Amino acid sequence: GIVAAMWGSSSDWSGGTVWQSADSGQTWTDIQSFVGGVTCGRAKGLLSAHAGNLINESETLTVEMRNGQLFGVTEEQMLNGSNVAAYGVNGRWEILRFKNATLNPSGSYTLSGFMRGDKGTEWATGLHQAGDELVMLDDPDSAFVGVSSDLIGASRDYRGISNGDDIDSDESLPFVYSGVNLKCLSPVHPAGVRNAGDLTIT
């Protein structure tokens, strides 16, 4: 499946629906509805490449919010799944977590205490650009949308339509589900012990 989220730029936004087309926009099927907007923003700077093996305490990232607020958590809460975000754009999303979120006078937030390259996305840590998106994945207003394995490698068109708007109020966004979330994560920290020629690997 894929993670989907929506947000509205106006304060009276009442939700919307993600639609999918398999025939170049001739017909549309609604695949997920949203009542609230996801917490998200745009990064002013960027984070550098990171191996993902240690908590990154040295860098900060300033995020100008589009919707919602950010909050700091303890290290234990972060390690247990709090403050998980997608950082980047389509094609190079990195999944990260962060401990600290400091509110600035401008309304932006400065983030620090990062756990980088989560969920096998360490390959994307060095591909960021200023202006990348930050979308909170642990926000209850995001959703995991199931996709049939038959659609792996198949292009589909998607549109995000606000409640009350016509299907043609948005342009189509083509997307190919490649099943990345089904792949095994890379192994780390291997250890081996020999015993009379046998090798036990853990």
Side-chain angles (χ1 to χ4, degrees):
I2 56 177
V3 176
M6 295 183 72
W7 65 279
S9 57
S10 63
S11 59
D12 60 349
W13 187 75
S14 61
T17 301
V18 175
W19 296 78
Q20 180 193 76
S21 175
D23 53 13
S24 300
Q26 298 300 310
T27 59
W28 293 91
T29 302
D30 59 313
I31 61 171
Q32 183 67 44
S33 294
F34 296 90
V35 176
V38 72
T39 300
C40 59
R42 175 172 288 179
K44 295 181 65 176
L46 56 89
L47 295 176
S48 61
H50 194 268
N53 55 341
L54 296 171
I55 295 176
N56 183 351
E57 300 280 9
S58 62
E59 286 190 284
T60 62
L61 183 69
T62 299
V63 178
E64 295 179 332
M65 300 306 295
R66 296 181 182 274
N67 190 62
Q69 298 174 299
L70 300 176
F71 301 93
V73 296
T74 66
E75 184 170 304
E76 181 179 6
Q77 288 172 325
M78 179 185 70
L79 294 174
N80 285 330
S82 295
N83 277 0
V84 180
Y87 167 47
V89 296
N90 192 24
R92 51 178 180 84
W93 289 108
E94 175 193 354
I95 309 302
L96 56 72
R97 311 181 198 185
F98 59 90
K99 288 191 297 183
N100 310 311
T102 302
L103 178 62
N104 300 315
S106 65
S108 65
Y109 288 83
T110 298
L111 310 183
S112 61
F114 296 100
M115 183 174 170
R116 301 287 307 280
D118 200 8
K119 309 294 185 184
T121 62
E122 63 276 359
W123 61 271
T125 63
L127 303 178
H128 294 298
Q129 300 176 16
D132 276 358
E133 302 290 338
L134 184 94
V135 182
M136 297 302 297
L137 299 181
D138 59 348
D139 188 319
D141 288 313
S142 68
F144 183 80
V145 182
V147 176
S148 170
S149 59
D150 295 339
L151 294 183
I152 294 176
S155 180
R156 293 290 184 269
D157 290 328
Y158 294 85
R159 290 184 182 181
I161 306 298
S162 295
N163 289 340
D165 287 352
D166 186 83
I167 190 68
D168 293 323
S169 63
D170 187 24
E171 296 181 358
S172 296
L173 175 68
F175 177 74
V176 177
Y177 173 56
S178 57
V180 171
N181 62 308
L182 302 178
K183 295 181 179 180
C184 297
L185 299 177
S186 300
V188 295
H189 309 306
V193 177
R194 285 204 177 274
N195 180 17
D198 295 333
L199 176 63
T200 301
I201 301 175
T202 58

